[in-house]
Amino acid sequence: MSLSNDWQAVSKRWGHSFHSMCSYMAMFPPRLPHYFIEKFTRPGDVVLDPFCGRGTTPLEACVCGRIGIGVDMNPLAYVLTRAKIEAPPLSHIEARLRALENDMFYSDTDREPEHIKMLFHPSTLRQLVYLKQVLDLSDPCDNFIAATILGILHGASSRNRERSSFLSISMPNTFSMSPNYIRKYIREKGLKRIPVDVFAAARRKLERLFVHEPPPTRGFAYCEPVDHLTAIPDQYIRKRRVKLIVSSPPYMRVVRYGLYNWIRLWFLDVDPDVLDNTLASYRRLDEYLVFVQRALARMYKTLTSGGVCCLVVGDVYSRAKKTTISLADEIWKMLRRTRSRFLLYDIVEDRLPEKRKVSKIWREKKGRATQVDRVMVLYRDHIEELAEAIDWSPPPKRLRPRMVQESLPLRGSAS
Ligand SMILES: C[S@@+](CC[C@H](N)C(=O)[O-])C[C@H]1O[C@@H](n2cnc3c(N)ncnc32)[C@H](O)[C@@H]1O
């Protein structure tokens, strides 16, 4: 058997409806972890992503009946991942949303920053500030509601406020543009803030999220830096029970998760600058390789014998050398130099359509990502491919509870 990038033939939108909870920068599509989960694990196995972002790998693992574990030190990533792999029943979420709506009290929005006030109609902002105050993120229902709202906080708004998917003035959904840029844009385009009811918009989003049955297994999420990976009090990590890692480490210098998420981080009360100062960001290749080496050494320790580690890394363009560098090749050379016990199975190319690359969309001046990502497949001790062919069947749809009247025979009907 061999590896190929067969997942490229499957739609990017393929997968469980929870995957579309909220966009996230530098995310990979669910079809990618699905391919490796099917190839290298059986139901009940443990799958880890130590840079889990919006939780694509752990969610896909849980959807496939594996135990998904997601670790990321970005609180936004943690809230999204936890919601997906620890989802309460829809009826509980709806009941909590109703209670929150009924109990709503007047929240003062005067002290909110001007760059937040310019995005939302005052009545929408009042609801958001109230929810910010009362949601208890340690509770799975409240965490799910927060994740749902993060997904609709900003995006292209429709003129019809009754049906609007997003709460802000019209703007991109994937990332937050800079406050100055937005201010200028509002002035130039004469954008008006539309009053969107947060509770109604959240219900519409919940309907879309629960199109599929929630995952059959639950997973575990942790808000920790990769340096602490082996110290996390998780029974599977501690006992080296991880069968598969599918992960993409932060790109070299390309994405600033704090700055580009300042609106969502406002909702979570996280300072974007503080976050950016703590997240990994390396200017030089040698520094980046040391970071990846340390991370891989910790990942190795979580793997069971026969465990596999798939790392998605993008090629970068070096202006100084006027050439493209394959980070995957550099990482492998570094692993050999440092006598890592990881063995290399394969490096598979995952070419991205030019316009999809986040740093291209944003026209990041310093961005050095190219359109080629590579998946580096490493393993511990030995490797065994378990699937001849990947099963791409769609996740089961949720059966909507039928109205009592619907199931009653119509008066006068023959049956
Ligand atoms: C390329 S993104 C992963 C995206 C993810 N594959 C997805 O589909 O959403 C890299 C992630 O690494 C996280 N990160 C950066 N430095 C970290 C560190 N030192 N420890 C843990 N996570 C870190 C960032 O917050 C970001 O979510």
Side-chain angles (χ1 to χ4, degrees), residues 24 26-28 51-54 56 72-74 225-226 248 250 257 280:
Y24 194 83
M27 61 197 180
F28 48 50
F51 300 105
C52 68
R54 65 174 188 163
T56 309
D72 198 298
M73 68 183 292
N74 182 348
V226 74
S248 56
Y257 292 92

Side-chain angles (χ1 to χ4, degrees), residues 18-299:
F18 280 7
H19 281 300
S20 57
M21 184 175 278
C22 182
S23 65
Y24 194 83
M25 299 196 75
M27 61 197 180
F28 48 50
R31 62 188 184 182
L32 189 144
H34 180 83
Y35 176 88
F36 292 101
I37 289 167
E38 284 254 324
K39 270 263 184 230
F40 293 119
T41 66
R42 296 187 171 89
D45 281 345
V46 180
V47 180
L48 166 73
D49 185 347
F51 300 105
C52 68
R54 65 174 188 163
T56 309
T57 294
L59 169 59
E60 195 50 37
C62 294
V63 170
C64 297
R66 280 65 165 173
I67 298 159
I69 304 178
V71 179
D72 198 298
M73 68 183 292
N74 182 348
L76 171 61
Y78 173 67
V79 170
L80 298 175
T81 303
R82 202 173 144 225
K84 292 171 183 177
I85 61 180
E86 222 186 79
L90 177 60
S91 57
H92 294 194
I93 303 169
E94 285 172 335
R96 174 66 177 142
L97 203 56
R98 260 194 314 276
L100 286 165
E101 192 172 15
N102 290 339
D103 297 346
M104 183 164 152
F105 51 79
Y106 183 90
S107 298
D108 184 9
T109 57
D110 284 353
R111 280 198 231 137
E112 295 306 321
E114 285 306 317
H115 53 260
I116 286 292
K117 286 186 193 162
M118 72 182 171
L119 305 176
F120 306 103
H121 187 274
S123 64
T124 306
L125 183 60
R126 189 155 300 127
Q127 291 179 320
L128 285 172
V129 171
Y130 159 72
L131 286 168
K132 253 181 81 150
Q133 285 168 352
V134 297
L135 285 175
D136 168 10
L137 297 187
S138 65
D139 174 80
C141 258
D142 281 20
N143 185 77
F144 199 99
I145 292 170
T148 305
I149 289 168
L150 289 168
I152 59 173
L153 202 53
H154 54 83
S157 65
S158 95
R159 280 175 196 281
N160 178 357
R161 72 172 89 148
E162 307 296 326
R163 297 298 315 156
S164 183
S165 300
F166 297 102
L167 306 174
S168 68
I169 52 142
S170 215
M171 60 181 292
N173 170 245
T174 316
F175 59 89
S176 318
M177 296 180 298
S178 80
N180 283 344
Y181 184 92
I182 301 176
R183 198 168 292 115
K184 191 162 152 256
Y185 197 78
I186 294 174
R187 218 177 27 243
E188 282 173 9
K189 304 280 173 192
L191 292 187
K192 293 269 174 294
R193 299 167 301 174
I194 303 169
V196 184
D197 184 81
V198 178
F199 297 96
R203 283 193 189 96
R204 289 195 289 276
K205 177 77 179 182
L206 283 173
E207 215 171 285
R208 298 194 292 278
L209 287 176
F210 279 85
V211 161
H212 294 130
E213 288 284 355
T217 48
R218 68 152 285 183
F220 302 89
Y222 301 97
C223 193
E224 291 288 346
V226 74
D227 277 352
H228 293 178
L229 184 61
T230 46
I232 293 173
D234 175 278
Q235 52 165 328
Y236 302 107
I237 291 180
R238 285 278 167 98
K239 291 186 181 162
R240 301 185 172 183
R241 286 267 319 273
V242 176
K243 183 71 207 299
L244 173 69
I245 294 172
V246 185
S247 190
S248 56
Y251 287 104
M252 244 179 95
R253 225 181 14 146
V254 176
V255 180
R256 289 166 69 189
Y257 292 92
L259 180 71
Y260 297 156
N261 272 309
W262 63 268
I263 306 175
R264 293 190 177 115
L265 291 171
W266 161 79
F267 190 68
L268 295 178
D269 266 335
V270 175
D271 183 325
D273 292 331
V274 173
L275 180 65
D276 276 336
N277 288 335
T278 49
L279 289 178
S281 152
Y282 296 96
R283 299 187 155 263
R284 294 196 348 231
L285 180 62
D286 53 349
E287 289 172 344
Y288 180 76
L289 290 176
V290 170
F291 167 72
V292 175
Q293 184 212 343
R294 288 165 58 101
L296 277 169
R298 284 173 177 80
M299 291 186 221

